[in-house]
Amino acid sequence: MSNRLPTLAVVGATGAVGSVMLDILSTRENVWGEIRLVASPRSAGKRLTVRGEQVEVQALAPEVFDDVDVAMFDVPDEVSKEWAPVAAERGAVAVDNSGAFRMDPEVPLVVPEVNAEQAANRPRGIISNPNCTTLSMIVALGALHRAYGLNGLVVASYQAASGAGQEGIDTLRNQIDKVAGDRTLGDRAGDVRAAVGELGPFPAPLAMNVVPWAGSLKEDGWSSEELKVRNESRKILGLADLKVSATCVRVPVITTHALSVHASFDRDVDADAAREALAAAPGVVVQDDPATADFPTPADVVGTDPTWVGRIRRSIDDPTSLDLFLCGDNLRKGAALNTAQIAEVVAAEFTRG
């Protein structure tokens, strides 16, 4: 057993996910020795608090990874693409929260509650963190797959504005300010659009509306977010032929994605048994009481770590299918927490050694 706790670098420490990460590192069981905070040169010299201590931010450069065991990347795809291999070359295990490596066959895509063992299979020295939409449902679906054998998913997502970054949050808050108090809005086509003005990263007003689009345009009219749900679910669950159809929708919620899922299995399912399997699964909370209409909603789930599940029903027309509704904070489990959990899986290798 090694007495030395591994050294961690947090790249992108000053960003939206990075700030959540520092909170997570300060509140979870401490498995780290030194924690280095790294960001772009313009943020160098800032002091941030982690584990109750003020730590100075260092500028991103190859030498910041010297003697680092694990480097977590909470940065845009292009930054990860350039710098995660640099960290790996310097001897660190790179745990990347961007989309840069998710579908690389030599990079495992890991959700510790579902496939933690894959973290050890990293020929490039890089481990990838899934998209926040996939993460909002996959812990619960992993538990159901273990119980029943998953073979198909039809998913409708209800995605928060923060999935589009700080610009998404600011746009929604500004639009809410503009429509608040005007009780004439919403009666005529185009009146909300005229009132909100700036659309920001969304193709239509988000306040007082739902927008059936998230991500960028891909082949045959599918969006990048919809294809991520399909491709990442297949890779995480090890089901290369899993049938997945997703429609991703943006809703006027600041943070926490929700999903309505129709899941099909290899054998008959029972709603009560499924509820028990979900309640016993790590990282899942069941909130499902139809008699009192007690179900998870983003407003009640935001800021929490688990995947919350409700509306668990066996399909009326198919005894091998379940319908359920899930919520997960897209900045916590959907980004920072899962990255931290992957890093902890790797940290355990150093303390075991």
Side-chain angles (χ1 to χ4, degrees), residues 70-155:
V70 181
M72 297 195 296
F73 285 80
D74 295 309
V75 293
D77 290 16
E78 60 274 13
V79 181
S80 285
K81 203 164 196 172
E82 179 181 354
W83 287 96
V86 173
E89 284 164 18
R90 294 261 170 163
V93 177
V95 181
D96 181 41
N97 189 29
S98 83
F101 303 100
R102 286 180 189 142
M103 300 318 296
D104 185 323
E106 292 192 304
V107 175
L109 187 64
V110 174
V111 181
E113 297 93 337
V114 181
N115 65 339
E117 72 286 348
Q118 288 299 318
N121 176 26
R122 47 175 194 265
R124 294 190 62 183
I126 301 169
I127 303 170
S128 204
N129 189 59
N131 177 260
C132 54
T133 314
T134 308
L135 268 168
S136 297
M137 66 172 191
I138 204 70
V139 177
L141 292 178
L144 292 173
H145 173 55
R146 287 192 294 274
Y148 297 110
L150 185 68
N151 62 39
L153 290 173
V154 180
V155 178

Side-chain angles (χ1 to χ4, degrees), residues 4-45:
R4 184 183 75 84
L5 291 175
T7 297
L8 174 70
V10 181
V11 184
T14 56
V17 176
S19 60
V20 176
M21 179 64 75
L22 299 190
D23 175 54
I24 286 170
L25 290 170
S26 301
T27 52
R28 287 176 71 78
E29 181 185 351
N30 183 43
V31 300
W32 303 106
E34 180 191 352
I35 295 181
R36 294 182 195 172
L37 305 184
V38 183
S40 64
R42 70 177 177 277
S43 296

